[in-house]
């Protein structure tokens, strides 16, 4: 077996020791064209150090070969040796035919550094030289998608898709589905996902189709795609929440709870699954089960506000005020923003006859609940009983403003005159 064949077999088998043993012979006995091909294969399989040895050798043999400088610079960037890579790229003049590749490599570098504006400038320079080059257009579309300029990215993907279905290993119909979904254009996304699924089925495509259908309120369709996804990949955890939510939107709360429990069995560390299980347990009149799920969600994230808020709501409705207060005071110690819980805290302290703390929380809650008559009713009577008539009068006026046809508030306001 010749050296080239042995090396290619070793690369494909991932045999690092054999690759290293053969590298010397490749450098000495294999022609430059084959050395270049082997370097590319090494890069594709992730053997960057060995590929760099070959490219460095080829650069020594062909010091003026521009393409080798670009390839070496790209490889060095992957290895984190940016300074040397930039030195190679900057040494290539604008007059070289390969200069658009230089600009694209620089754009990739700046994009990796988060310097998106500079990256776009380099891509635009390259497109001025080769305005109809699909690879450059695709690179710019990828950048625009990454920085959230979805409609511009979609236009470029559409333009490329007129002439080709696939570029750089990416099927454009799939990318169009992704960019429309990312931009919130779910009807367009759904159309492209269904087109993509005609060619091939994959978990990501099925999830994208299910999610887009859900956002378009096509819940039966979302269920169908999510079920197909669950069958194809039972460990695609996001499918369970989406499937449960779809059943819930169809008011099949029993099925929604069943699905979310199945999801928790697959992924016991996803706080969102526990939160939704808590909410569905409430819908199914299972408050004790709901509480358990919510506490598990909070155990996974002690600052999970939506779970905390739901749990406190349950505790407050059951007048378990000591537990509400205990939770509030723990959050205070942790310097957590519990302002959303102020109304519950105020009510619990009030019922526990800790009027000083109740007053503190009523005042905090008033800012967020000025438009809530139920809260204002509790607050105004608390203020009256606490002897704060001027403040009570202000809250009474707010009640009258919100419900001018309610005689009780008019009567209450008159008592202050």
């Amino acid at each position: 077996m010749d050296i080239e064949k042995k090396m290619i077999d070793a690369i494909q088998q991932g045999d690092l020791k054999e690759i290293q043993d053969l590298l010397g012979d490749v450098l000495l006995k294999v022609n430059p064209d084959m050395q270049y091909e082997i370097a590319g294969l090494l890069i594709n399989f992730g053997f960057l150090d060995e590929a760099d040895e070959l490219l460095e050798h080829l650069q020594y043999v062909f010091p003026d070969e521009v393409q080798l400088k670009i390839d070496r610079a790209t490889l060095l960037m992957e290895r984190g040796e940016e300074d040397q890579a930039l030195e190679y790229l900057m040494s290539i003049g604008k007059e070289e035919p390969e200069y658009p590749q230089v600009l694209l490599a620089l754009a990739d570098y700046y994009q990796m550094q988060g310097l998106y504006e500079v990256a776009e400038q380099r891509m635009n320079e390259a497109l001025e030289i080769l305005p109809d080059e699909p690879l450059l257009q695709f690179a710019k579309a990828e950048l625009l998608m990454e920085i959230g300029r979805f409609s511009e990215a979609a236009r470029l993907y559409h333009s490329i898709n007129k002439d080709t279905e696939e570029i750089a290993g990416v099927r454009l119909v799939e990318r169009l589905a992704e960019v429309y979904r990312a931009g919130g254009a779910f009807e367009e996304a759904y159309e492209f996902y269904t087109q993509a699924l005609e060619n091939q089925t994959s978990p990501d495509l099925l999830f994208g189709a299910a999610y887009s259908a859900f956002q378009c309120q096509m819940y039966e369709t979302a269920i169908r795609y999510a079920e197909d996804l669950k069958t194809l990949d039972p460990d695609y955890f996001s499918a369970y929440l989406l499937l449960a939510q779809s059943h819930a939107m169809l008011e099949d709360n029993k099925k929604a709870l069943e699905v979310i429990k199945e999801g928790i069995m697959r992924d016991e560390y996803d706080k969102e699954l526990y939160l939704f299980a808590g909410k569905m347990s409430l819908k199914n009149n299972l408050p004790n089960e709901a509480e358990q799920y919510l506490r598990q969600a909070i155990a996974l994230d002690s600052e999970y506000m939506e779970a905390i808020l739901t749990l406190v709501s349950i505790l407050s409705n059951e007048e378990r005020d000591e537990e509400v207060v205990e939770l509030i005071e723990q959050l205070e110690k942790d310097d957590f923003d519990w302002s959303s819980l102020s109304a519950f805290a105020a009510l619990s302290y009030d019922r526990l006859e800790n009027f000083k703390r109740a007053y503190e929380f009523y005042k905090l809650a008033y800012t967020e609940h000025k438009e809530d008559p139920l809260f204002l009713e509790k607050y105004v009577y608390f203020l009256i009983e606490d002897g704060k008539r001027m403040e009570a009068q202000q809250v009474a006026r707010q009640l009258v403003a919100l419900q001018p046809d309610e005689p009780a508030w008019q009567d209450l306001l008159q008592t202050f005159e």
Side-chain angles (χ1 to χ4, degrees), residues 171-178 181 189-190 192-213 225-226 228-229 232 236 242:
R171 295 182 65 239
L172 288 164
V173 68
E174 294 181 21
R175 201 54 113 234
L176 281 162
E178 291 171 13
R181 176 181 151 200
Y190 176 74
F192 282 106
Y193 275 119
T194 55
Q195 289 180 39
L197 284 164
E198 289 173 4
N199 249 350
Q200 67 171 9
T201 300
S202 74
D204 287 342
L205 287 175
L206 287 169
F207 180 80
Y211 184 84
S212 300
Y225 281 120
D228 289 346
L229 169 54
L232 182 65
Y236 199 103
L242 182 59

Side-chain angles (χ1 to χ4, degrees), residues 290-305:
E291 182 179 341
Q292 291 174 13
Y293 284 123
L294 293 167
R295 289 192 183 278
Q296 286 172 299
I298 296 166
L300 290 169
D301 179 358
S302 61
E303 297 184 354
Y304 194 11
M305 176 52 81

Side-chain angles (χ1 to χ4, degrees), residues 70-316:
I70 296 171
D71 293 338
R72 184 97 193 279
T74 303
L75 176 57
L76 289 171
M77 283 184 184
E78 287 193 49
R79 293 176 61 183
E81 300 175 43
E82 290 92 351
D83 291 343
Q84 183 65 53
L86 291 172
E87 186 177 323
Y88 282 132
L89 293 174
M90 295 302 185
S91 70
I92 300 170
K94 293 182 178 181
E95 71 281 356
E96 299 290 351
E98 297 90 349
Y99 189 65
Q101 288 186 57
V102 174
L103 292 168
L104 186 56
L106 286 170
D108 287 341
Y109 167 73
Y110 290 124
Q111 188 171 345
M112 286 188 295
Q113 300 300 313
L115 301 170
Y116 299 115
E117 187 175 341
V118 181
E120 187 179 358
Q121 289 171 359
R122 296 294 174 269
M123 286 183 184
N124 288 338
E125 289 178 48
L127 283 165
E128 285 178 12
I129 300 170
L130 296 172
D132 299 320
E133 173 53 52
L135 281 171
L136 291 176
Q137 293 175 339
F138 179 72
K140 183 173 181 181
E142 295 283 277
L143 171 65
L144 292 172
M145 183 173 175
E146 182 176 342
I147 62 178
R149 289 159 60 182
F150 302 117
S151 59
E152 294 174 70
R155 283 197 293 272
L156 277 173
Y157 289 130
H158 273 294
S159 177
I160 305 164
N161 197 34
K162 290 176 183 177
D163 300 315
T164 183
E165 293 183 356
E166 186 173 313
I167 188 167
V170 175
R171 295 182 65 239
L172 288 164
V173 68
E174 294 181 21
R175 201 54 113 234
L176 281 162
E178 291 171 13
V179 75
Y180 277 121
R181 176 181 151 200
F186 296 111
E187 291 183 7
E188 291 84 351
Y190 176 74
E191 290 179 14
F192 282 106
Y193 275 119
T194 55
Q195 289 180 39
L197 284 164
E198 289 173 4
N199 249 350
Q200 67 171 9
T201 300
S202 74
D204 287 342
L205 287 175
L206 287 169
F207 180 80
Y211 184 84
S212 300
F214 179 88
Q215 295 297 332
C216 294
Q217 301 180 12
M218 299 160 55
Y219 302 120
E220 292 91 345
T221 303
I223 289 169
R224 176 166 54 84
Y225 281 120
E227 288 285 4
D228 289 346
L229 169 54
K230 205 160 62 102
T231 301
L232 182 65
D233 183 358
D235 289 327
Y236 199 103
F237 302 137
S238 300
Y240 294 92
L241 180 57
L242 182 59
L243 181 56
Q245 288 172 330
S246 299
H247 283 297
M249 294 304 294
L250 295 173
E251 299 186 2
D252 190 347
N253 297 322
K254 184 177 180 181
K255 183 64 176 177
L257 181 57
E258 177 186 318
V259 170
I260 210 67
K261 285 182 177 180
E262 187 182 350
I264 289 172
M265 290 177 64
R266 290 281 178 179
D267 181 9
E268 59 184 18
Y269 298 107
D270 188 337
K271 64 182 184 181
E272 291 188 23
L273 296 181
Y274 288 106
L275 173 63
F276 196 76
K279 291 181 176 179
M280 285 301 100
S281 296
L282 288 175
K283 291 275 190 180
N284 283 281
N285 296 314
L286 300 168
N288 293 335
E289 200 169 305
E291 182 179 341
Q292 291 174 13
Y293 284 123
L294 293 167
R295 289 192 183 278
Q296 286 172 299
I298 296 166
L300 290 169
D301 179 358
S302 61
E303 297 184 354
Y304 194 11
M305 176 52 81
E306 192 173 355
I308 294 170
L309 191 59
T310 308
L311 176 60
V312 169
S313 175
I314 294 172
L315 299 176
S316 180

Side-chain angles (χ1 to χ4, degrees), residues 4-68:
E4 296 98 318
K5 182 69 167 63
K6 286 181 180 178
M7 178 59 100
I8 291 169
D9 286 348
I11 294 170
Q12 291 174 338
Q13 292 168 16
D15 189 340
L16 179 59
K17 185 178 184 304
E18 180 72 1
I19 292 168
Q20 291 173 339
D21 290 344
L22 290 168
L23 194 57
D25 285 339
V26 171
L27 288 168
L28 291 173
K29 299 177 182 178
V30 173
N31 69 68
D33 286 342
M34 180 55 69
Q35 287 177 348
Y36 186 74
E37 286 187 32
I38 290 172
L41 193 60
L42 285 165
I43 291 170
N44 289 338
F45 278 80
F47 298 106
L48 301 185
D49 293 342
E50 292 71 25
D52 190 47
E53 282 192 52
L54 279 176
L55 290 179
E56 186 177 16
H57 167 74
L58 288 168
Q59 260 193 297
Y60 178 78
V61 176
F62 304 103
D64 298 322
E65 180 58 51
V66 173
Q67 188 62 54
L68 285 173

